Amino acid sequence: VSAFRKEHGLEGRRLPFVAIPSALNLLDADTDVEPLIVAIQAAAEQMDAPLRLIVIDTLSRAMAGGNENAPDDMGALVRSADRIREATGANLLFIHHSGKDVAKGARGHSILRAAVDTEIEISRDTDTKLATIRVTKQRELDTSGELHFGLKSVELGRNQRNKPVTSCIVQPVSTTEINKSKLNGKELAAYMALQDLIRGAGTEPPNTITFPAVKVVSTTEWREFLKDTRVTSQDNSDSERSQWARIWKSLTEEGVIGHYDGFVWLS
C-alpha cells in the first residue's frame, strides 16, 4: 500500500483498502464466519465507500487444517463463502494454488471449481519474470484474451543500517513488450536498431489506410542500417542474407514489427 501511494503520488491520501491480518477458520461456520462478517462491515463503514471485493489469502489457510480433497471440507468452505458473500453483497475472491500438475488447475475437490463464477489463472515466466492473466472459467461470458504484468520495485526509505527498504507494485505490460522480452541476440539488437533508426529518420507513412498512424522507414534502409551497425554481416554474403531472413521471420512472428509495401514500423 505504501509503495502504491508513493508511485502514484497519493501520500497522505486515504485509499479504499483495508487489511485484516488475522488467521481464519472458515471450515467451521460457528468459529470465524460471523466475526469476519462484522469486521468486514465495520471496515466498509470506516472507508465510507461501497464494498466491492473481499480477498482471502489463501484458501488453504482459511481451511484451518482441513482436507482440500475431501468433499465435506470443501463443501463447508463453499458454504461459508456463500454466507460471507450474501451478508456483505461483495464479490469474494480466494487466492489459491495449482497442484504439481499445473495443467490440472487448482488443487482440491471439484466442488470448488463447480461453485466459483470466475476462475482467473496467473502464471509467471521464469525467464522474462513477467506474468500472464487468463480467465479459465466465467459463467455466461467469454474467456478469451490475456493480460500481462510485471512487478516494479519501489524504494520506501532506509533502515537503521542505511539499506533501502523496498516493496513492489504491479505494472501492466503490453503483448508487444511480452514478445519483445523473448528476443535475444541479433533479433533484439535488430529491434533496438530499428527503434533508433525510426527515432532519427522515421517518416510519416504513405497516404493510405493500409498503414497505422506511426512513423516508418523503408525495409531496405533498415537492412542497410543493420549492416552499418554490425548487427549483421557487412557484405551481401550468404551469411548476411541468412541473418536477415532469421531476424525478419522472428520479429514478424513475435508481432513486434509491422511491414507493408517496402516499409517497416514498430508494432
Side-chain angles (χ1 to χ4, degrees):
V1 175
S2 297
F4 184 91
R5 280 198 179 103
K6 183 172 183 179
E7 179 69 15
H8 296 286
L10 298 172
E11 288 96 339
R13 294 272 301 274
R14 188 175 184 181
L15 301 180
F17 172 86
V18 173
I20 305 176
S22 175
L24 279 179
N25 178 2
L26 300 186
L27 206 58
D28 182 354
D30 297 326
T31 303
D32 288 339
V33 175
E34 294 305 322
L36 177 60
I37 290 170
V38 171
I40 290 169
Q41 291 171 335
E45 291 180 8
Q46 176 186 331
M47 289 187 296
D48 191 27
L51 180 63
R52 300 300 190 201
L53 180 67
I54 300 162
V55 181
I56 295 179
D57 183 9
T58 62
L59 180 145
S60 180
R61 295 196 64 177
M63 292 189 75
N67 184 352
E68 292 177 348
N69 296 304
D72 290 347
D73 285 357
M74 190 60 80
L77 181 84
V78 169
R79 288 193 295 275
S80 293
D82 284 341
R83 171 69 187 122
I84 296 166
R85 181 174 52 81
E86 291 164 2
T88 61
N91 296 289
L92 183 65
L93 184 152
F94 281 105
I95 295 176
H96 192 35
H97 298 284
S98 62
K100 291 181 180 179
D101 186 351
V102 177
K104 292 184 178 179
R107 296 188 321 225
H109 196 274
S110 59
I111 285 175
L112 176 63
R113 195 166 196 273
V116 300
D117 295 314
T118 306
E119 183 182 63
I120 301 170
E121 177 188 83
I122 300 178
S123 57
R124 189 166 184 254
D125 188 295
T126 55
D127 294 325
T128 65
K129 310 301 182 187
L130 297 176
T132 298
I133 303 170
R134 300 180 183 90
V135 179
T136 51
K137 177 186 176 182
Q138 176 60 62
R139 292 191 197 276
E140 302 174 357
L141 290 174
D142 185 26
T143 60
S144 61
E146 295 180 348
L147 296 173
H148 308 281
F149 69 89
L151 296 178
K152 177 183 177 181
S153 180
V154 177
E155 184 174 326
L156 302 177
R158 297 271 169 167
N159 63 17
Q160 293 177 340
R161 293 177 294 168
N162 201 34
K163 300 293 185 181
V165 177
T166 64
S167 187
C168 60
I169 62 165
V170 168
Q171 279 199 321
V173 175
S174 70
T175 301
T176 299
E177 289 176 281
I178 285 280
N179 291 344
K180 188 178 72 175
S181 70
K182 298 176 184 177
L183 303 177
N184 52 50
K186 288 189 180 299
E187 296 150 4
L188 181 58
Y191 180 86
M192 301 301 290
L194 180 59
Q195 278 188 320
D196 292 340
L197 184 61
I198 289 176
R199 190 179 298 115
T203 61
E204 298 298 322
N207 186 20
T208 168
I209 60 172
T210 309
F211 289 87
V214 295
K215 289 193 173 182
V216 302
V217 294
S218 74
T219 303
T220 301
E221 189 178 3
W222 179 34
R223 184 172 178 175
E224 291 301 316
F225 188 66
L226 294 182
K227 288 191 285 186
D228 292 343
T229 55
R230 299 181 183 273
V231 174
T232 58
S233 299
Q234 290 186 288
D235 53 18
N236 291 316
S237 64
D238 288 343
S239 176
E240 187 275 337
R241 284 190 289 273
S242 177
Q243 291 167 354
W244 168 252
R246 283 197 299 271
I247 287 168
W248 184 263
K249 182 175 185 290
S250 178
L251 299 191
T252 300
E253 289 181 347
E254 291 296 343
V256 296
I257 65 169
H259 55 86
Y260 178 75
D261 199 24
F263 292 93
V264 63
W265 59 88
L266 299 170
S267 293

